[in-house]
Amino acid sequence: MKNTKSLILDTTKQWIREKDYREISLRTLTNSIGITTGAFYKHFNNKEDLYYQVSILLSKQLTEQLNIDFTADPTSELLNIAERICLLFKNEPYLMDFIMLNPSNNYNNQNFEFLDAVNNLILRVNRTESVRNNKELFIQLWSFIQGYGVLIKNKIIIYDRELVKNTLYKLLEK
C-alpha cells in the first residue's frame, strides 16, 4: 500500500490529466482516496503546496518524456521541444494547462527540471548575451509556445511546423 503522501500526489497527477486542475477540490480529492482533510494537511500546507510538489514531479516526467538531447544543436532541439509541447497540448490538454499555466510553475524557482532544461538550451543558443537577455528570450519563447498551445488545445488552429520554426528562428534571430 502506498503511503498517504504518495497516494495524494499520484491521484492528483491522474486527475490533472483528466480535468481542469482549477476544478479539483480538496474535499473531493480526499474523499476519493479515503482520507480526511486533516490527513491531507499532515503532508501539504494547502492546495498550492500540493500543486507545487506535483509540478516538480510532472516537470521531471515531462523532461524524461521529451527525451531532450543536450548534445544536439540547441536551436533544433528547442524546435523539437516546441513541436512536442504543441502536440501534447492537443493530446493532453489538461496536463499541459497545468504544466504551462499553473502559478506554482514559477520561472524564478529552480526546482522545475523542464524549465531548467529549456533554459540550458537557451544559454547554449545565446552564449554571448546577458542573463537579462536570456531571461527575456525564455519568456518570449515560453509565451509563444503557451499561446500557440492554447490555440491548438481549443481547436482554433492546427499545428504548423513552419510557423513554429519561423517564429522560433525570428525570436532567436537566426
Side-chain angles (χ1 to χ4, degrees), residues 33-98:
I33 56 178
I35 64 168
T36 64
T37 54
F40 172 88
Y41 287 112
K42 286 181 182 175
H43 301 284
F44 304 96
N45 296 326
N46 50 40
K47 189 160 64 168
E48 288 72 31
D49 182 32
L50 169 64
Y51 284 170
Y52 173 75
Q53 292 188 41
V54 168
S55 293
I56 292 170
L57 295 172
L58 289 174
S59 177
K60 182 177 177 23
Q61 287 176 359
L62 180 62
T63 304
E64 291 167 0
Q65 179 182 349
L66 294 176
N67 196 25
I68 299 169
D69 183 357
F70 292 102
T71 62
D73 170 63
T75 302
S76 297
E77 196 58 18
L78 285 168
L79 180 59
N80 288 334
I81 290 169
E83 182 171 57
R84 289 177 273 173
I85 291 295
C86 288
L87 293 174
L88 282 169
F89 261 107
K90 178 182 176 187
N91 298 326
E92 295 200 62
Y94 295 124
L95 174 66
M96 294 314 296
D97 265 354
F98 181 79

Side-chain angles (χ1 to χ4, degrees), residues 5 8-9 12-13 16 21 24 26 29 40 43-61 98-99 101-116:
K5 183 174 183 175
I8 295 167
L9 289 168
T12 303
K13 286 189 308 186
I16 285 168
Y21 71 94
I24 298 172
L26 284 184
L29 175 67
F40 172 88
H43 301 284
F44 304 96
N45 296 326
N46 50 40
K47 189 160 64 168
E48 288 72 31
D49 182 32
L50 169 64
Y51 284 170
Y52 173 75
Q53 292 188 41
V54 168
S55 293
I56 292 170
L57 295 172
L58 289 174
S59 177
K60 182 177 177 23
Q61 287 176 359
F98 181 79
I99 289 174
L101 302 171
N102 98 76
S104 65
N105 283 339
N106 186 318
Y107 171 81
N108 295 314
N109 194 314
Q110 299 303 307
N111 290 327
F112 300 112
E113 209 171 295
F114 176 64
L115 297 179
D116 292 342

Side-chain angles (χ1 to χ4, degrees), residues 117-151:
V118 172
N119 269 318
N120 286 336
L121 290 169
I122 288 171
L123 287 172
R124 286 184 49 216
V125 169
N126 230 19
R127 286 182 197 265
T128 60
E129 296 297 326
S130 68
V131 171
R132 177 181 167 88
N133 288 344
N134 285 327
K135 185 174 181 177
E136 287 173 6
L137 179 58
F138 174 87
I139 291 168
Q140 290 169 344
L141 291 169
W142 193 256
S143 298
F144 170 70
I145 294 303
Q146 279 180 329
Y148 196 69
V150 168
L151 292 172

